[in-house]
Amino acid sequence: MKPVVIFRHLATEGPGYFATFLEAHRIRWTLVAIDRNEPIPASAADYAGIVFMGGPMSVNDPLPWIEAECALIRDAVARGVPVLGHCLGGQLISRALGGTVTRNPVKEIGWSTVQAEENDTAARWLGPRAGDDAVIDRDGKAVVFQWHGETFSLPPGSERLFGNAECANQMFALGPHLGMQCHVEMTEAMIERWCESWPEEVAGLGENLPASVQTPAVMQAATPARLAAMRRLADRLYGQWLRGLVRD
């Protein structure tokens, strides 16, 4: 099978658990490091799937690689090559497919609860709400990790999988393509590293932080229990995404 290509936009926002998942399933992957100015392929034809990680930049910034990545996303969709996006990656998919990216009403930093939609697409991606294999509870809730200040609209033809009061569009699917505002790829080491940039992230928010912004101490204290639950959700989402990979 052709490899999965992963686009990294910042050295500290690599594939994390997603790479571990691919390796456990013996799926080859290759990395394109945008942070090292590596070139963006013009075509998706050489890949089984295409994945975009996060980053602190906005898809609305005048960066030369944004339109090139959006063009690659459109080429992948036209060829039936599945696309997966984490945070900035989800925003890139939305923009490429006709959506928009705007400032979210509040920043979300840390662990948060998201609510699953009740539609057939959500049921297919998320599975049952009861039983040993359930990744959402009976009320349709799950806990994910957040680190964003912007949000995407749902591109035409897509359906929302998750939302919450702080950010209406947390995740969407369009056929085999999955866009996420949240970060299900996190590892404990990544969370610790990101917390080093926390003072910069909250600068300008004032002394009274919104409830959607957690301190590093709160985030890291919750990580052992919440990371394990999110790992099960990630396994479910990534497993469903793998079903769409282009086979030779």
Side-chain angles (χ1 to χ4, degrees):
M1 188 169 69
K2 299 172 185 177
V4 169
V5 62
I6 302 174
F7 289 83
R8 186 186 74 192
H9 305 102
L10 190 70
T12 56
E13 298 203 26
Y17 178 67
F18 180 68
T20 302
F21 184 88
L22 289 181
E23 290 162 5
H25 287 77
R26 298 184 179 183
I27 293 174
R28 291 188 300 130
W29 63 277
T30 185
L31 183 73
V32 174
I34 301 300
D35 53 284
R36 294 179 182 172
N37 296 315
E38 293 181 357
I40 298 169
S43 169
D46 293 333
Y47 305 106
I50 299 180
V51 181
F52 297 91
M53 306 312 299
M57 60 288 293
S58 169
V59 302
N60 298 316
D61 290 340
L63 298 169
W65 49 265
I66 289 177
E67 285 308 319
E69 288 194 359
C70 287
L72 181 63
I73 290 168
R74 289 188 288 269
D75 182 69
V77 171
R79 294 176 183 272
V81 177
V83 184
L84 171 64
H86 303 77
C87 199
L88 174 70
Q91 295 170 0
L92 284 162
I93 297 172
S94 172
R95 173 169 171 162
L97 301 183
T100 58
V101 175
T102 57
R103 183 184 297 274
N104 198 56
V106 294
K107 278 195 171 185
E108 282 192 295
I109 298 177
W111 297 100
S112 76
T113 300
V114 290
Q115 176 69 50
E117 296 293 316
E118 294 188 7
N119 57 55
D120 291 342
T121 300
R124 183 170 68 253
W125 282 88
L126 303 177
R129 299 189 179 195
D132 295 339
D133 296 332
V135 298
I136 53 178
D137 67 19
R138 292 181 181 275
D139 296 323
K141 292 181 171 58
V143 175
V144 296
F145 192 79
Q146 308 276 8
W147 200 287
H148 70 100
E150 293 190 319
T151 184
F152 49 66
S153 68
L154 300 179
S158 68
E159 289 195 84
R160 181 166 46 221
L161 305 186
F162 276 125
N164 67 10
E166 290 73 34
C167 179
N169 298 324
Q170 290 282 352
M171 193 179 299
F172 68 84
L174 177 60
H177 315 295
L178 181 65
M180 297 182 282
Q181 187 58 73
C182 52
H183 290 275
V184 302
E185 81 280 13
M186 301 304 293
T187 65
E188 189 168 359
M190 289 173 69
I191 293 172
E192 291 177 0
R193 183 69 181 274
W194 289 17
C195 282
E196 295 175 7
S197 67
W198 187 85
E200 301 171 20
E201 289 290 336
V202 302
L205 295 182
E207 295 183 1
N208 297 319
L209 296 175
S212 58
V213 174
Q214 296 173 350
T215 64
V218 169
M219 279 185 260
Q220 293 183 53
T223 293
R226 295 193 167 184
L227 188 62
M230 188 174 71
R231 189 67 43 86
R232 293 192 297 274
L233 173 63
D235 285 345
R236 172 74 192 190
L237 293 167
Y238 292 156
Q240 288 296 110
W241 187 78
L242 290 190
R243 293 173 179 265
L245 293 182
V246 176
R247 312 282 172 173
D248 290 338

